[in-house]
Amino acid sequence: MTDKQQCEVAWFSALCDDDYEFLGVPDPQLASSWEHCRNIVLRAEEGGFDNILLPSGYQLGVDTTIFAAAVAPYLSRMKLLWATRMGEDWPPQLARRIATLDRILGWNADKTAGRLNVNIISSDMPGQAMESAPRYRRGTEIMKIVRTLLNGEHLDFDGEFYQLRLDPARITTLSGKCPPFYFGGLSHEARECAAEAADVYLMWPDTMDKVRENVADLKERAAKYGRTLKFGYRAHVIVRETEEEARAYADRLLSKLDDEAGKAIREKSLDAKNYGVQRQAELRGAAGGDGFVEDNLWTGIGRARSGCGAAIVGNPDQVLAKLRAYQAEGIEAFILSGYPHTTEADLFARHVLPHIEHGPLQF
């Protein structure tokens, strides 16, 4: 691998009440709000990031769809990775919503496509409990329906969950094509859903051998459907001028954490019991006393967070080397974050981003 291998580098806007100076200690100034989350997005664009994830929650924070539509006109270059939970919209209406957001955002730099990416989440809806296998089968059907309509094709669909015959709506994406679907999940059903219907398979932090294993597995599964996938990696990051400073900051993040408060935060999410979350707990259990499960991968974040629960920690050279090691295993997109999000976006943009050959994923 050469240093010129390009990847997409995205940041994260903390719509789901996930911003702290000290993990587990709520700060009204960092709570999810239009103003605060908008400022994170604007700082990410100023810093040169290619994309930004707008996460989705129910009990946690502001509404993702309304936020995405409101923040889009503020941006001139960066893409939005808009998260949506399967079941929130009737599939044809979801297609129309995606097309509308795509048009609000506008063209990419070379006018070959719009600037909207879609993070498909197949989790329980508020107040509803649905078994994993049918949820993911439903997600597969929804992605196929939406893709057909946004590609401008007549829909004639007979599935387990949807039976639809429909022409596309008048409002299309700027390109007339469906934006890419980013999708994650570790269970067998989730992997099959990604292999059959997604474009980018997202992983939460894991050891390098597991990253390698997951990439190989998903490539094989996708090939069964005559498809290929790109691969993304979602992680937190702490970068400082020296490794000692980075580790000291990691310790500081946890310095006021009450274990019971951390447990309550982990269990608050609708996704708190899924396979991926359990894998993050396994990583914490396998880590040493300092919380590191392998070189520069620190699991302390997961003590007060459901979901993505580990951070790449080190000096600029170490963080860069870790990212390049993931690239060597097939990762083409990174979705990064840090606490507080505006401060850490600045630090990563100054110390690491200029040394990465990066740009939006090409499909």
Side-chain angles (χ1 to χ4, degrees), residues 189-333:
E189 294 84 3
R191 291 167 187 252
E192 284 297 299
C193 179
E196 188 173 356
D199 300 293
V200 182
Y201 179 73
L202 291 177
M203 286 174 258
W204 281 338
D206 216 322
T207 52
M208 200 64 72
D209 61 320
K210 284 293 185 183
V211 172
R212 185 179 307 121
E213 179 184 303
N214 288 338
V215 169
D217 177 60
L218 266 295
K219 282 183 175 180
E220 183 178 338
R221 289 174 189 257
K224 291 189 307 182
Y225 296 100
R227 307 183 70 245
T228 59
L229 291 169
K230 295 182 181 296
F231 294 91
Y233 192 79
R234 166 86 182 96
H236 306 281
V237 63
I238 298 172
V239 60
R240 295 294 186 273
E241 290 187 6
T242 69
E243 182 180 13
E244 292 73 21
E245 288 175 292
R247 284 176 169 252
Y249 188 77
D251 291 339
R252 181 182 184 275
L253 270 180
L254 294 181
S255 63
K256 298 185 179 182
L257 177 64
D258 175 81
D259 284 339
E260 286 303 311
K263 181 180 178 183
I265 291 169
R266 293 197 304 271
E267 293 180 351
K268 194 172 184 180
S269 169
L270 291 175
D271 305 325
K273 303 298 183 184
N274 74 20
Y275 196 104
V277 171
Q278 297 309 309
R279 174 58 187 160
Q280 295 297 288
E282 290 173 10
L283 279 181
R284 290 197 303 278
D290 58 1
F292 283 82
V293 71
E294 67 178 14
D295 288 347
N296 304 109
L297 188 63
W298 178 64
T299 64
I301 294 281
R303 289 178 56 190
R305 193 183 196 282
S306 176
C308 174
I312 302 166
V313 177
N315 64 40
D317 289 340
Q318 290 172 318
V319 172
L320 190 60
K322 193 74 169 175
L323 295 177
R324 286 178 172 158
Y326 292 129
Q327 283 184 275
E329 300 299 340
I331 301 298
E332 298 177 70

Side-chain angles (χ1 to χ4, degrees), residues 59-77:
Q59 295 171 310
L60 310 167
V62 299
D63 179 77
T64 312
T65 302
I66 294 173
F67 180 89
V71 82
Y74 286 75
L75 304 177
S76 60
R77 177 195 56 79

Side-chain angles (χ1 to χ4, degrees), residues 15-17 32 55-65 83-85 88 121 123-128 268-271:
L15 271 68
C16 296
D17 284 333
S32 173
S56 172
Y58 171 66
Q59 295 171 310
L60 310 167
V62 299
D63 179 77
T64 312
T65 302
T84 183
R85 291 175 182 265
E88 288 183 332
I121 303 173
S123 65
D124 284 336
M125 294 297 293
Q128 175 199 63
K268 194 172 184 180
S269 169
L270 291 175
D271 305 325

Side-chain angles (χ1 to χ4, degrees), residues 335-354:
I335 303 171
L336 305 173
S337 56
Y339 298 104
H341 286 78
T342 49
T343 302
E344 296 302 312
D346 278 337
L347 287 164
F348 187 89
R350 292 209 312 269
H351 292 301
V352 182
L353 198 56

Side-chain angles (χ1 to χ4, degrees), residues 143-156 168:
M143 283 192 275
K144 287 182 174 181
I145 290 167
V146 171
R147 191 186 300 277
T148 297
L149 292 172
L150 289 180
N151 283 343
E153 301 166 7
H154 174 77
L155 180 70
D156 193 344

